[in-house]
Amino acid sequence: METEQTRSPHGRLPGTADAGVPRRAPDRIGALLTVLTERPVSLYAAAVLRIGYGLLYLAFLLREFPHRDEIWGPGSPWTPELAGQLFDQTGWASILTLSDSRPYFEACYVAALITSALFMLGWRTRVMSVLFAVVVASFHARAIFMTDGGDNLILLMAMYLVLTACGRRWSLDARRARLRASAGTTRKSAAVLDAGELRRQLGTSRRTLTAVLHNCGMFVIAAQVCFLYGSAGLYKVQGGSWGNGTALHYVLNLDLFRPWPELSLLADEHDVLITIACYLTVLLQVAFPFVLFGRLKYPVLTMLLGMHLGIAVLMGLPLFSGAMIVADAVFLPDGFYRSLGQLFRRVGRSAHVREAGLSPHGESVPRGESALVPPQSAPASH
């Protein structure tokens, strides 16, 4: 009876409530460490980065295919000797400078196209991620002054993606793993049972290492994007043209960045909108790292998407804009991508049903009478 009388109104002993408070922070830290070491996070975002950067670099190489010799080949004004002198200062290296023969260069270019395509599709992603990083670094270092700078971010992301498990979702590797799991479950289970304790420990260690490297890689990618936006915004704040809202006016009148002069002149006629766009650009870039942990990040990412599309069209920098748009995808949760995938599958099934001329319940209907099928009431729930 004495013990019951000393209990708190919530049925706890007086000392237990106080003892539980200091354990909350260690418990949260332990849960965070468990997530970071046992489960790769943002697998769909990593897949989007893989697909996006593989596609962008493939399109970049295809776009420059007619000019490949002048940019990276033996006919480039930036000769292999000049590139070698720069390598001595920067520490870079390139497989393109190993030989100055044209057949070797053409073989390297074809290999770069194939590597970018296979990396985008997610075939043997572990190996292809390393080869893709080598390709991007080699082409970037071979003619660092010949491109528009849009491949700088792709180079960084290609190196970071080597650490991630970017082939776990939306890839040929993921499809092969699903087929193997569904077709050989019994055989796989028997093999695991016969492997012994050592194999199980090695498998656990491998999964932990994969999760840690993947999560660290995704964290570095997110931090890189935040640093990029924050530093760009702070750099703009220091300039007087961004402070008085005239920076975009001067940008729109640069001949080097006017692929469509008429469109640039048309946009430059709206002085108020140009000023608002200047201030909004600085505000979005400076505030970006501080809005990532709330719902405010969705409208910010939407406005950044519009900004990058404007840069791609008005300034003629599609590679840079595409690289930034793909980088922003790292901040969208996996639930968003799963919902997007379900939406695409639902739309695809609806289109297939319409093309096949089926009723909503799968019954075959003549094409001429498909529009006359009356809607049927939903079956009663049991």
Side-chain angles (χ1 to χ4, degrees):
M1 295 296 295
E2 184 176 354
T3 304
E4 295 179 358
Q5 291 176 357
T6 56
R7 288 180 181 271
S8 64
H10 298 283
R12 296 177 180 175
L13 293 175
T16 57
D18 297 335
V21 173
R23 292 198 188 101
R24 291 180 181 177
D27 289 344
R28 292 179 179 178
I29 296 176
L32 178 61
L33 292 177
T34 300
V35 171
L36 293 179
T37 57
E38 294 185 1
R39 183 173 62 88
V41 299
S42 301
L43 288 175
Y44 285 95
V48 171
L49 293 176
R50 185 200 79 241
I51 297 171
Y53 288 121
L55 179 61
L56 277 176
Y57 211 74
L58 178 62
F60 172 60
L61 294 177
L62 290 175
R63 185 190 72 177
E64 302 298 344
F65 187 82
H67 314 289
R68 64 192 184 281
D69 184 52
E70 292 82 1
I71 299 178
W72 300 287
S76 174
W78 187 254
T79 62
E81 291 76 16
L82 292 175
Q85 294 178 13
L86 183 62
F87 293 164
D88 295 336
Q89 301 176 13
T90 61
W92 284 96
S94 174
I95 60 174
L96 298 177
T97 58
L98 298 179
S99 175
D100 58 353
S101 66
R102 185 170 299 277
Y104 175 78
F105 169 72
E106 297 295 344
C108 288
Y109 207 89
V110 173
L113 292 172
I114 296 174
T115 300
S116 301
L118 292 179
F119 179 69
M120 176 189 66
L121 296 174
W123 183 81
R124 306 294 181 185
T125 314
R126 284 294 181 190
V127 177
M128 286 300 154
S129 62
V130 177
L131 295 179
F132 181 72
V134 171
V135 165
V136 175
S138 296
F139 277 79
H140 178 81
R142 171 63 182 87
I144 193 171
F145 299 114
M146 299 296 291
T147 56
D148 60 4
D151 52 349
N152 290 334
L153 183 60
I154 299 180
L155 172 63
L156 293 174
M157 294 301 174
M159 293 181 176
Y160 298 150
L161 286 174
V162 174
L163 303 175
T164 66
C166 55
R168 295 281 187 90
R169 299 290 186 272
W170 294 343
S171 65
L172 295 179
D173 289 346
R175 181 177 180 273
R176 183 173 62 252
R178 287 195 303 269
L179 294 177
R180 185 179 301 172
S182 61
T185 304
T186 305
R187 184 173 65 254
K188 184 177 179 180
S189 299
V192 171
L193 291 175
D194 294 338
E197 185 66 23
L198 180 59
R199 184 177 294 274
R200 285 194 293 270
Q201 292 179 357
L202 290 176
T204 302
S205 301
R206 180 182 177 182
R207 287 192 297 270
T208 301
L209 180 61
T210 301
V212 171
L213 290 177
H214 170 85
N215 294 333
C216 289
M218 296 302 290
F219 174 78
V220 171
I221 290 174
Q224 178 70 58
V225 178
C226 290
F227 180 79
L228 194 153
Y229 277 122
S231 59
L234 294 177
Y235 184 80
K236 288 181 176 64
V237 169
Q238 301 175 15
S241 59
W242 288 96
N244 56 31
T246 60
L248 292 181
H249 163 72
Y250 296 110
V251 171
L252 292 173
N253 286 275
L254 291 175
D255 293 334
L256 187 61
F257 298 103
R258 286 207 303 180
W260 293 282
E262 296 80 7
L263 185 61
S264 299
L265 292 176
L266 179 63
D268 192 37
E269 292 177 355
H270 302 82
D271 297 337
V272 177
L273 293 180
I274 290 296
T275 304
I276 293 175
C278 285
Y279 293 149
L280 188 60
T281 299
V282 176
L283 178 62
L284 289 176
Q285 291 182 341
V286 173
F288 181 79
F290 304 100
V291 301
L292 298 177
F293 303 101
R295 296 183 180 275
L296 191 60
K297 70 178 180 181
Y298 296 105
V300 169
L301 288 174
T302 303
M303 287 185 285
L304 287 174
L305 173 63
M307 182 186 75
H308 293 309
L309 291 177
I311 292 174
V313 175
L314 294 176
M315 297 184 63
L317 297 173
L319 185 65
F320 169 76
S321 298
M324 291 303 304
I325 291 173
V326 175
D328 292 343
V330 73
F331 299 104
L332 295 175
D334 281 353
F336 172 82
Y337 293 112
R338 283 194 293 266
S339 302
L340 199 62
Q342 293 174 1
L343 177 62
F344 286 156
R345 286 192 295 269
R346 198 178 302 120
V347 172
R349 283 196 298 267
S350 301
H352 176 70
V353 168
R354 287 194 299 269
E355 290 178 1
L358 300 177
S359 67
H361 296 279
E363 300 174 356
S364 179
V365 178
R367 292 189 178 272
E369 301 176 4
S370 58
L372 302 179
V373 177
Q376 302 180 12
S377 58
S381 60
H382 296 285

